[in-house]
Amino acid sequence: MKKIQILGTGCSKCNQLGANARQAAEIAGIEYEIEKVTDIVEISKMGVISTPALVIDGNIVSTGKLLKPEKIKAFLV
Amino acid sequence: MFSIFTKLADFCVYYVFGLEQGTQLASSLHFFIEDVTKIYALLIVMIYSIGWLRASLDVERVREYLIGKPRIWGYLAGSAFGAITPFCSCSSIPLFLGFTQARIPLGITMAFLITSPIINEVAIVLLGSLLGIKFMLLYIGFGLLAGILGGMILDLLKAECYLTPLVQKVREAGVDGVSQDARVSLSVRDRHIFAKGELGSIFIRVWKWVLLGVGLGAVLHGYVPETYIVEHLGRGQWWSVPGAVLLGIPLYSNASGIIPVAESLLGKGLPVGTTLAFMLSTVAASFPEFMLLKQVMKPRLLLYFFLILVSMFTLIGWIMNMMNF
């Protein structure tokens, strides 16, 4: 099961990234869980300095970018 | 090069709507149509092109670069990077914390955060095309200067002593060993995707501001008599500059909204210095941004920051008015 985390303080980009990630996971047909991390301390602890950020199974996959579902799907499979 | 937009506006106003030349309505509408179409066209071209160039620049690289740099150079570089690095202001606090954790001096981080909202591709494009290259260069120069000086002064005031407990908490929490994917070099296609993405997200964010700003500018252009502004504010009365700055700081506007307004004001005789001060203070700071900064800055530091911005922009306005540009 893939653990997908969306790091962001809550602006529209973060929400959109979450939606795109969900869509990507659905298309990929994998088992997943999505978590939104909005706590600043948590985000900093993960070493992220530009949001929104996408973390999959503990690996920072992208920071500061709003990825399209196709691009996210590539990271999931 | 831009006459096509004038012609388009001429066509719409005098032919399609059949309005009389010289009336206030015709004047306003013409201004509106010409400016909106011109701005949209320019934005599309420039956001894409600059997005293309910037695709490989990100804040993580900037942070790596700034670590350990001597202060004076740090302020310059911080400000310059702030100008050119793609950066969403919602990221301000994560960036602030990330830079601080890397032991980058507060002033350098602030140089980046001050200049970042002031100088961006939208502002440059609009200034250059609507107000001329000279004004654009002035704006860029002062935007950089504001970052450099602002950062320097904050450090001199020992701003680092006035950070909130949150900052210390984050420092202590440290960074977990979360791995980061190796940075890959970008292909042409990657750049295109990034540039297209930037175009989409920035345009979506900005198109309403353009309408609002040009709308306001159009009303000013058509309905506010030149004499009014010239009489009351045209001689660069000393109080009009800080007044403009104090009005501008809490206002929230994108560059795209404020520049058409500035164009109108200038056209009506508002002095260059006053206009510049107003523009800089509007884009450089806002209520939302101060709310964000409250998380990392104690009230005293927020006050210092506010006063520094007000003083710098007021001085810039006064100097420019005196020099009679």
Side-chain angles (χ1 to χ4, degrees):
Chain A
M1 165 128 99
K2 291 275 182 190
K3 178 160 186 201
I4 304 175
Q5 287 165 305
I6 308 284
L7 275 55
T9 46
C11 70
S12 59
K13 261 188 179 177
C14 317
N15 296 331
Q16 189 59 46
L17 186 62
N20 289 0
R22 193 173 292 274
Q23 195 181 342
E26 294 289 331
I27 296 177
I30 54 160
E31 267 191 51
Y32 68 96
E33 64 170 299
I34 290 196
E35 181 195 355
K36 268 187 100 181
V37 181
T38 53
D39 178 49
I40 298 259
V41 181
E42 278 307 307
I43 295 178
S44 290
K45 258 177 85 172
M46 294 173 85
V48 166
I49 60 172
S50 108
T51 56
L54 180 65
V55 177
I56 299 180
D57 284 340
N59 289 321
I60 302 177
V61 149
S62 126
T63 60
K65 292 199 172 79
L66 176 56
L67 297 179
K68 289 247 158 59
E70 306 85 60
K71 197 78 195 274
I72 300 178
K73 180 170 154 238
F75 289 117
L76 290 172
V77 296
Chain B
M1 194 199 338
F2 298 129
S3 59
I4 184 174
F5 300 106
T6 317
K7 295 203 183 81
L8 178 66
D10 285 342
F11 176 75
C12 291
V13 175
Y14 305 130
Y15 185 71
V16 174
F17 289 114
L19 294 174
E20 237 186 82
Q21 191 156 17
T23 57
Q24 287 175 323
L25 181 60
S27 197
S28 277
L29 198 60
H30 191 277
F31 181 95
F32 186 82
I33 295 177
E34 177 173 357
D35 264 25
V36 166
T37 49
K38 184 162 54 176
I39 291 176
Y40 280 168
L42 281 167
L43 280 178
I44 290 173
V45 171
M46 291 307 290
I47 296 177
Y48 184 86
S49 317
I50 296 187
W52 184 275
L53 293 169
R54 273 170 160 192
S56 50
L57 187 57
D58 58 37
V59 295
E60 285 83 7
R61 274 210 181 138
V62 173
R63 176 173 66 167
E64 271 173 52
Y65 180 83
L66 288 174
I67 293 175
K69 291 288 181 300
R71 296 240 173 184
I72 305 292
W73 178 247
Y75 298 128
L76 266 143
S79 185
F81 277 122
I84 62 176
T85 310
F87 173 67
C88 167
S89 59
C90 60
S91 243
S92 294
I93 300 305
L95 181 132
F96 184 99
L97 292 170
F99 275 34
T100 310
Q101 261 185 327
R103 302 257 172 264
I104 294 174
L106 183 71
I108 296 179
T109 306
M110 289 312 293
F112 183 97
L113 288 176
I114 290 174
T115 303
S116 187
I118 297 178
I119 302 180
N120 54 64
E121 65 273 52
V122 170
I124 306 311
V125 165
L126 294 180
L127 284 168
S129 60
L130 295 180
L131 300 177
I133 301 288
K134 195 174 75 174
F135 207 91
M136 178 187 88
L137 290 174
L138 275 176
Y139 181 84
I140 294 177
F142 284 126
L144 289 169
L145 193 66
I148 297 169
L149 276 183
M152 234 186 251
I153 297 174
L154 282 168
D155 272 346
L156 285 172
L157 290 175
K158 301 244 181 295
E160 248 141 3
C161 302
Y162 303 109
L163 299 177
T164 57
L166 177 71
V167 182
Q168 186 57 21
K169 187 170 163 200
V170 166
R171 263 202 196 132
E172 276 160 15
V175 179
D176 294 339
V178 187
S179 68
Q180 187 143 8
D181 269 328
R183 194 156 287 133
V184 292
S185 62
L186 294 172
S187 66
V188 167
R189 177 157 171 74
D190 286 331
R191 282 188 184 266
H192 165 70
I193 292 177
F194 180 79
K196 207 169 79 144
E198 285 281 280
L199 181 57
S201 64
I202 294 180
F203 200 86
I204 299 249
R205 212 180 346 129
V206 142
W207 73 274
K208 289 178 209 156
W209 290 106
V210 174
L211 286 182
L212 198 65
V214 180
L216 205 56
V219 167
L220 281 169
H221 185 85
Y223 292 93
V224 174
E226 181 154 341
T227 47
Y228 181 84
I229 293 197
V230 169
E231 247 175 59
H232 291 92
L233 306 164
R235 276 173 307 250
Q237 288 83 337
W238 76 266
W239 49 265
S240 64
V241 177
V245 171
L246 286 172
L247 179 63
I249 291 215
L251 282 183
Y252 175 59
S253 170
N254 256 305
S256 42
I258 207 62
I259 291 172
V261 174
E263 182 195 18
S264 242
L265 291 170
L266 276 176
K268 291 288 176 189
L270 192 68
V272 169
T274 318
T275 312
L276 201 50
F278 178 64
M279 273 173 41
L280 286 169
S281 59
T282 307
V283 298
S286 62
F287 261 142
E289 186 176 336
F290 272 89
M291 287 299 111
L292 278 180
L293 286 173
K294 209 166 75 125
Q295 293 180 285
V296 293
M297 290 186 176
K298 285 189 175 154
R300 184 178 189 165
L301 184 52
L302 277 177
L303 181 65
Y304 284 171
F305 183 50
F306 174 77
L307 290 173
I308 289 172
L309 289 179
V310 168
S311 319
M312 283 196 304
F313 296 143
T314 305
L315 273 172
I316 289 172
W318 277 337
I319 293 174
M320 282 290 108
N321 279 348
M322 278 197 298
M323 289 171 70
N324 243 325
F325 262 76

